[in-house]
Amino acid sequence: MTAYVVRRFLAALLTLLGVAIILFVLFRMMPGDPTAQVISPALDEAAQARLKQAFGLDLPMWQQFLIYLRNLVTFEWGRSFTSGQPVADLLGHWLVNTLLLMTAGLVVAIALGIVLGILMAARRGGALDIGATVVGLVFQAAPPFVVGILLLIGLSYQIELFPSGGMFTPGADPGSTWALLTSADFLHHLVLPTLTIAALYLVTPMLVMRDSMLEVLGSDYVEFARAKGLGPLRVLFRHAARNALLAVVTVSSLILGFAIGGQVVIETIFSWPGMGKAMVEAALQHDYPVAQAAFFLMAAIVIGLNFLTDLSYSLLDPRIRLGTA
């Protein structure tokens, strides 16, 4: 088990290093001068030289890269070009908001998908099986902004059941994170973006669970459990569903990756003050310290979640950690 964890951890670190290299090269290949907002061309050459020295831009590229890696590890990501605040402080606030929204949406999507997948497999070819498959595929095929806008039109603008955006009503900031989580106003604002995320990512765990359940229900140990006289629900949930969950755990890492990428659109539509919205605004304002750090942090989250998924999969299936699968 230890050797497996070490191998997966080293693979995650190498992947993260690759992302860091790509970001370093990409932001230096972009057209225009990324430092134009802080080093004005109107300054005399001596002043520009002093500012470039302060930012380390007068150093050779390989030294800039080593400093860049050191800063990534120590979370010294500089200051925002637009606000002047430390990037790490800004990202910490936005990250909490993104994780709150993403966790709520994915928990609903995966939990509902698992339950529906079990029921669809138990009633294969029935109305629930066909209807849930059609509806799920329609939502999956629809672009995220279409689903979000339709929910806004239907549930916010037409019947005014939910607010159209933001995390809370202006002027009603609860202050601490715990007060926010227990605030009815926050939960009210959370519903629409959560429903959007759940609708977009429900179909994958649902269909994977359905197909996995159909395979497991035909196995010998399930037939043996039935022969022992166990009830249908016990056989379905305790014996079949537990083993069928392995496939959903595997695909969850892919869902997490797509969901993090989709946060950009969803947060923009619902004016949710998270990482996705901040990345768009930073790119539009040429705030490269914020954009670069935000991209790296989002990639680190995806890689970390994939690593945890691998570990959870090895716990569910001992053959993985023993190297016999």
Side-chain angles (χ1 to χ4, degrees):
M1 180 64 178
T2 302
Y4 175 80
V5 173
V6 171
R7 287 198 306 269
R8 299 309 303 167
F9 182 71
L10 291 177
L13 285 181
L14 289 175
T15 305
L16 197 58
L17 177 61
V19 171
I21 294 173
I22 292 172
L23 288 175
F24 179 82
V25 175
L26 183 64
F27 277 93
R28 281 153 183 80
M29 291 178 61
M30 295 180 68
D33 185 3
T35 63
Q37 289 197 6
V38 290
I39 304 178
S40 173
L43 297 174
D44 60 77
E45 293 185 2
Q48 291 187 37
R50 286 195 299 270
L51 286 173
K52 287 183 178 180
Q53 184 178 12
F55 283 103
L57 298 177
D58 60 329
L59 298 174
M61 194 62 66
W62 66 271
Q63 290 187 13
Q64 292 186 36
F65 179 68
L66 293 178
I67 295 173
Y68 161 77
L69 289 181
R70 183 197 65 191
N71 291 343
L72 285 180
V73 174
T74 58
F75 300 100
E76 293 291 339
W77 293 338
R79 292 181 175 271
S80 167
F81 285 170
T82 56
S83 68
Q85 295 178 269
V87 174
D89 294 344
L90 294 173
L91 293 185
H93 174 70
W94 293 329
L95 178 60
V96 171
N97 297 341
T98 291
L99 291 178
L100 289 175
L101 177 57
M102 187 179 66
T103 301
L106 291 184
V107 165
V108 173
I110 294 175
L112 185 58
I114 289 173
V115 174
L116 286 175
I118 295 172
L119 298 178
M120 290 163 65
R123 296 290 185 268
R124 181 180 183 181
L128 176 63
D129 187 18
I130 297 173
T133 301
V134 171
V135 173
L137 290 175
V138 168
F139 278 119
Q140 186 186 44
F145 69 89
V146 172
V147 177
I149 289 174
L150 288 177
L151 288 176
L152 275 175
I153 293 174
L155 299 179
S156 180
Y157 299 142
Q158 294 293 330
I159 60 178
E160 299 182 357
L161 190 60
F162 299 105
S164 60
M167 287 182 63
F168 41 78
T169 303
D173 186 355
S176 66
T177 302
W178 175 249
L180 179 71
L181 294 175
T182 56
S183 167
D185 184 56
F186 165 74
L187 297 176
H188 196 208
H189 283 76
L190 183 65
V191 173
L192 275 187
T194 298
L195 289 178
T196 304
I197 296 173
L200 290 170
Y201 303 108
L202 168 68
V203 68
T204 300
M206 181 181 71
L207 293 183
V208 168
M209 189 66 185
R210 175 190 179 275
D211 292 343
S212 184
M213 280 290 295
L214 291 176
E215 182 179 351
V216 170
L217 286 173
S219 59
D220 293 337
Y221 64 87
V222 172
E223 294 295 335
F224 180 71
R226 289 170 176 162
K228 290 195 303 182
L230 299 179
L233 290 179
R234 187 175 182 183
V235 171
L236 188 66
F237 285 93
R238 184 169 181 178
H239 292 270
R242 181 178 179 181
N243 291 279
L245 277 173
L246 290 172
V248 178
V249 171
T250 302
V251 80
S252 293
S253 60
L254 299 176
I255 300 173
L256 290 170
F258 285 120
I260 290 176
Q263 288 290 106
V264 175
V265 177
I266 294 171
E267 289 180 2
T268 302
I269 292 173
F270 292 100
S271 300
W272 191 270
M275 291 283 291
K277 186 171 181 289
M279 288 165 61
V280 173
E281 293 178 348
L284 292 175
Q285 297 170 356
H286 302 288
D287 195 346
Y288 291 108
V290 172
Q292 184 173 264
F295 275 107
F296 178 79
L297 186 57
M298 295 289 269
I301 293 172
V302 174
I303 294 169
L305 290 174
N306 285 336
F307 173 68
L308 294 177
T309 301
D310 289 338
L311 294 186
S312 63
Y313 194 75
S314 68
L315 293 174
L316 291 171
D317 190 348
R319 296 175 300 170
I320 301 297
R321 62 176 181 268
L322 296 176
T324 59

